[in-house]
Amino acid sequence: MVRTARIAGVATAVPAPMDQRALWDGFFSKHYAGSRLAERIWASSGVVTRHGVADPLTEDVSEWGTGARMRRYVTEAMPLGKDAVAGALAKAGVSAEEVGLFAVVSCTGYATPGLDILLARDLGMPADVQRLMVGHMGCYAAIPGLSTVADAVVARGLTAVLLCVELTSLHVQPATDEAQQMVAHALFSDAATAVVLTPDASGLDVVDTIARTDVAHQSYMTWDVTDLGFRMGLSPQVPDILQRHVRSVTEDLLARHGLGLDDVTAWAIHPGGPRILDVCRDELGLAESDVAASRDTLRDYGNCSSPTVLIALDEVCRRTPLASGDHVVALAFGPGLTLYGTLLRQA
Ligand SMILES: CC(C)(COP(=O)(O)OP(=O)(O)OC[C@H]1O[C@@H](n2cnc3c(N)ncnc32)[C@H](O)[C@@H]1OP(=O)(O)O)[C@@H](O)C(=O)NCCC(=O)NCCS
């Protein structure tokens, strides 16, 4: 019998909401000394609400050292991660004792013993649960995480949990006039999303995954560990580079299964920023309605790095009645420059 890896449950946990306009008025307008460019970027970010464990309106972490940020990361990521995993397990009807593999993805905090060990302990996963930590890959990391976990489900019949947790609010940087910092501060947000995969559930099968990395443009997106937290480097040309690759990489993924772009029922596209969604919509020949779930994810959650594509996937599946055999494609982007895509099929 050929096994499949099925998504049996997805859940997201977020910290307190922050209003985008209030963040500008109450903190970032001063942080950027009233910069007209920053205000414009803020207004066109496509974000209305986002979430943060450190709300700049009440707590300015921009001068904190990295050690303090990492300690805070563990304190805040634990309850969020726990809520997301417990929620996904409950939706899947799976108990923590049944988990055979627990993978944690994050690029915004590190500790040892890590979240994989501490959460497995607190949630009551078995003492022999296998664990995997995926660190510092960035916004697309949910897809290689999902794909690796799915392979273990297929190969060994394990029940697996993937947790993506990012606390970007702990990495607000000191005041600067660099536009790329304004873009990062206007878009990024916090969230934890967990996915439960089992060999025998009803739901979406993880069918196949594709990666493409354009190393000629690796300097266009960076995430540097500094003495004052982690600092984003982001070129304004990122959407243009993604534009070059997104259609062909998606067609290559679909062609392996005898499918074309028209065979895809629903799309979950990492909303890195409004221009990322515009470029993907136009290059893939999609309607605005095809990217609505992704755009609404940006509006309601901001860019939460790795969990974001899973939030968009959950949202589009909620909105789209999927029949057996329908296909969904999830796409995410990040440093490298990397495009990652995964093909899912409704069982
Ligand atoms: C940032 C963004 C919301 C701004 O949108 P906008 O205001 O509607 O229009 P533009 O894209 O023309 O950008 C406005 C200005 O910001 C600058 N800008 C945009 N992105 C920038 C970046 N990453 N770094 C520095 N400047 C940037 C533009 O050059 C432009 O400046 P100019 O008017 O002096 O030429 C939009 O460009 C976007 O979505 N970018 C993608 C963000 C991204 O790469 N996310 C991560 C990918 S996974």
Side-chain angles (χ1 to χ4, degrees):
M1 186 192 86
V2 179
R3 266 194 223 113
T4 53
R6 254 165 222 171
I7 296 182
V10 182
T12 293
V14 286
M18 305 185 296
D19 176 76
Q20 180 78 341
R21 185 72 222 178
L23 284 174
W24 174 259
D25 290 340
F27 180 80
F28 285 100
S29 56
K30 291 186 221 51
H31 202 60
Y32 289 123
S35 155
R36 299 287 293 274
L37 177 60
E39 189 168 15
R40 218 174 93 213
I41 289 171
W42 222 262
S44 55
S45 64
V47 181
V48 173
T49 305
R50 46 191 169 135
H51 304 86
V53 297
D55 182 343
L57 296 181
T58 53
E59 184 178 29
D60 179 1
V61 301
S62 64
E63 298 291 340
W64 282 23
T66 303
R69 299 185 201 227
M70 294 299 96
R71 286 189 290 280
R72 181 71 177 274
Y73 171 88
V74 177
T75 309
E76 302 284 1
M78 283 295 292
L80 284 177
K82 201 169 168 181
D83 281 359
V85 174
L89 286 170
K91 284 186 185 167
V94 170
S95 73
E97 302 92 75
E98 294 173 79
V99 177
L101 172 64
F102 180 36
V104 178
V105 168
S106 189
C107 66
T108 47
Y110 301 97
T112 302
L115 295 181
D116 55 327
I117 294 173
L118 303 176
L119 287 171
R121 177 199 66 191
D122 287 3
L123 285 156
M125 292 182 191
D128 63 353
V129 67
Q130 295 171 40
R131 291 172 289 96
L132 178 70
M133 280 292 304
V134 179
H136 232 77
M137 288 184 97
C139 292
Y140 61 81
I143 296 191
L146 190 69
S147 162
T148 302
V149 160
D151 286 349
V153 175
V154 171
R156 293 184 280 137
L158 296 174
T159 290
V161 177
L162 171 74
L163 170 67
C164 294
V165 55
E166 305 290 5
L167 304 183
T168 69
S169 70
L170 293 178
H171 296 287
V172 173
Q173 292 294 291
T176 167
D177 57 3
E178 280 182 72
Q180 56 181 343
Q181 290 305 310
M182 297 169 186
V183 174
H185 285 152
L187 290 170
F188 281 94
S189 184
D190 298 355
T193 302
V195 181
V196 175
L197 292 107
T198 67
D200 53 8
S202 58
L204 277 176
D205 286 342
V206 181
V207 177
D208 198 4
T209 296
I210 195 164
R212 183 172 303 168
T213 304
D214 182 344
V215 286
H217 298 97
Q218 64 186 34
S219 63
Y220 282 22
M221 202 188 291
T222 52
W223 186 228
D224 295 320
V225 177
T226 79
D227 294 341
L228 298 175
F230 302 172
R231 186 174 188 281
M232 180 110 207
L234 189 64
S235 160
Q237 265 84 54
V238 166
D240 303 331
I241 306 304
L242 297 182
Q243 183 172 27
R244 283 189 207 167
H245 297 288
V246 69
R247 187 178 179 105
S248 65
V249 78
T250 309
E251 285 178 335
D252 288 353
L253 171 66
L254 292 166
R256 291 178 190 167
H257 302 273
L259 300 168
L261 294 169
D262 291 343
D263 297 310
V264 179
T265 304
W267 296 85
I269 302 176
H270 171 62
R275 274 197 63 209
I276 305 290
L277 287 178
D278 295 349
V279 157
C280 291
R281 178 196 60 206
D282 296 348
E283 286 303 304
L284 296 169
L286 304 179
E288 180 57 28
S289 56
D290 292 317
V291 299
S294 300
R295 212 177 286 280
D296 293 351
T297 298
L298 181 66
R299 180 194 65 200
D300 299 338
Y301 292 90
N303 178 347
C304 322
S305 190
S306 65
T308 325
V309 72
L310 299 176
I311 298 173
L313 178 64
D314 198 27
E315 185 56 36
V316 79
C317 289
R318 236 194 303 273
R319 293 180 185 194
T320 317
L322 293 171
S324 177
D326 281 354
H327 289 96
V328 179
V329 167
L331 297 170
F333 323 106
L337 285 180
T338 300
L339 300 90
Y340 244 102
T342 200
L343 176 65
L344 304 128
R345 185 170 48 227
Q346 181 70 21

